[in-house]
Amino acid sequence: MLPRLLGNLKSGTFKFIGPGLQPMSMVYVKNLADALYCAAVAPEAAGEVFLITNGDAITRERLVEVICEETGYPLPKAHVPTWLVRMLCPVFEGLHALHILLSAVVT
């Protein structure tokens, strides 16, 4: 995911879906490793589900801003409306499935 994001930012083709204000939770890798260790050694953790976060949220827009600041890539301004993505995704998924089906028939 990160290589594709960086490639799209570098080429200037990245577009936000919706306003970019969706919250995300990032996890520092050491915190994740500590949580995994604690869950592995605690018998009462067996079968439980855990949500690991750093306790703070960042928007997608802010995450992209930070990446652009660090890499020097241009900050994207374009947004694709969520309603349009929701309308077109099933169409493209269907076309992709048809392509796979036709590729299997041809080969």
Side-chain angles (χ1 to χ4, degrees), residues 1-2 5 14 16-17 19-28 51-67:
M1 186 172 132
L2 187 59
L5 172 63
F14 179 87
F16 288 101
I17 296 175
L21 301 177
Q22 305 91 329
M24 301 174 58
S25 179
M26 306 297 285
V27 179
Y28 179 60
L51 176 61
I52 312 301
T53 75
N54 283 343
D56 53 351
I58 184 172
T59 65
R60 291 181 189 268
E61 184 175 52
R62 181 63 189 136
L63 176 63
V64 170
E65 286 174 2
V66 170
I67 292 171

Side-chain angles (χ1 to χ4, degrees):
M1 186 172 132
L2 187 59
R4 180 181 286 178
L5 172 63
L6 291 173
N8 288 337
L9 288 171
K10 185 176 184 178
S11 68
T13 58
F14 179 87
K15 292 171 183 51
F16 288 101
I17 296 175
L21 301 177
Q22 305 91 329
M24 301 174 58
S25 179
M26 306 297 285
V27 179
Y28 179 60
V29 69
K30 184 178 181 318
N31 294 347
L32 176 60
D34 289 345
L36 290 171
Y37 174 78
C38 289
V41 298
E44 62 275 12
E48 295 295 323
V49 176
F50 297 92
L51 176 61
I52 312 301
T53 75
N54 283 343
D56 53 351
I58 184 172
T59 65
R60 291 181 189 268
E61 184 175 52
R62 181 63 189 136
L63 176 63
V64 170
E65 286 174 2
V66 170
I67 292 171
C68 289
E69 289 168 5
E70 294 298 318
T71 60
Y73 296 159
L75 184 62
K77 302 286 187 213
H79 294 259
V80 178
T82 306
W83 65 265
L84 182 60
V85 173
R86 287 188 178 150
M87 183 178 75
L88 292 177
C89 273
V91 173
F92 287 111
E93 287 174 353
L95 289 173
H96 180 68
L98 182 61
H99 171 73
I100 291 173
L101 180 65
L102 292 176
S103 296
V105 170
V106 171
T107 39

